[in-house]
């Protein structure tokens, strides 16, 4: 039985929320050690952790979703090409599948918006009144 099209905005919001929670765990690991981050932080990792926590929080709430998602998509593309692509062409071999998927999920949200369950949606409804 197919999922009704009228649920697409709510499912889009659910994908955003689950993606944000998964993404934010990387920043929590870097800054709070839960779970412990396996290496010392350098300036690049501090920047990544900040984007993971701050950007992930904004993305979770659906606040400024399109610009935040665009920045996070670029961050994950850079992460893929700096850390994974030099190891191998194939994402399954170079360990870059999560980075690649995050980059394209964020790119989707940069184009599509946050969905129904978001602060952005509340703000647009208020502005329309």
């Amino acid at each position: 039985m197919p999922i009704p099209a009228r649920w697409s905005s709510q499912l889009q919001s659910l994908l955003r929320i689950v993606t944000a929670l998964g993404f934010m765990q990387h920043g929590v690991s870097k800054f709070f050690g839960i779970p412990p981050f396996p290496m010392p932080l350098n300036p690049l990792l501090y920047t990544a952790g900040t984007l993971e926590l701050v950007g992930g929080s904004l993305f979770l709430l659906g606040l400024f979703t399109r610009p935040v998602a665009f920045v996070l998509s670029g961050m994950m593309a850079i992460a893929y090409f700096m850390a994974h692509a030099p190891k191998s062409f194939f994402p399954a071999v170079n360990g870059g599948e999560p980075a690649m998927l995050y980059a394209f999920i964020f790119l989707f949200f940069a184009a599509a918006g946050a969905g129904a369950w978001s602060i952005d949606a509340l703000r647009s409804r208020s502005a329309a009144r």
Side-chain angles (χ1 to χ4, degrees):
M1 177 179 291
I3 297 173
R6 68 178 183 272
W7 294 356
S8 64
S9 187
Q10 289 80 7
L11 290 172
Q12 184 174 327
S13 293
L14 188 59
L15 175 61
R16 187 192 83 251
I17 291 164
V18 170
T19 300
L21 291 172
F23 190 67
M24 288 171 63
Q25 78 176 339
H26 298 282
V28 169
S29 175
K30 286 178 181 77
F31 289 127
F32 303 109
I34 306 169
F37 194 69
M39 64 183 74
L41 296 183
N42 60 35
L44 190 61
L45 291 173
Y46 274 112
T47 302
T50 301
L51 286 169
E52 289 159 353
L53 283 178
V54 175
S57 297
L58 290 170
F59 192 71
L60 175 68
L61 296 171
L63 180 60
F64 308 119
T65 304
R66 290 175 191 260
V68 167
F70 184 76
V71 169
L72 297 180
S73 177
M75 173 197 159
M76 293 314 299
I78 290 168
Y80 180 83
F81 286 108
M82 283 183 70
H84 301 285
K87 296 176 188 171
S88 171
F89 176 77
F90 302 101
V93 175
N94 68 26
E97 277 182 291
M100 178 187 67
L101 289 172
Y102 275 122
F104 280 94
I105 290 170
F106 287 136
L107 189 60
F108 166 78
F109 281 98
W117 301 333
S118 66
I119 294 175
D120 288 346
L122 287 173
R123 291 175 50 198
S124 69
R125 276 181 251 156
S126 295
R129 291 182 184 163

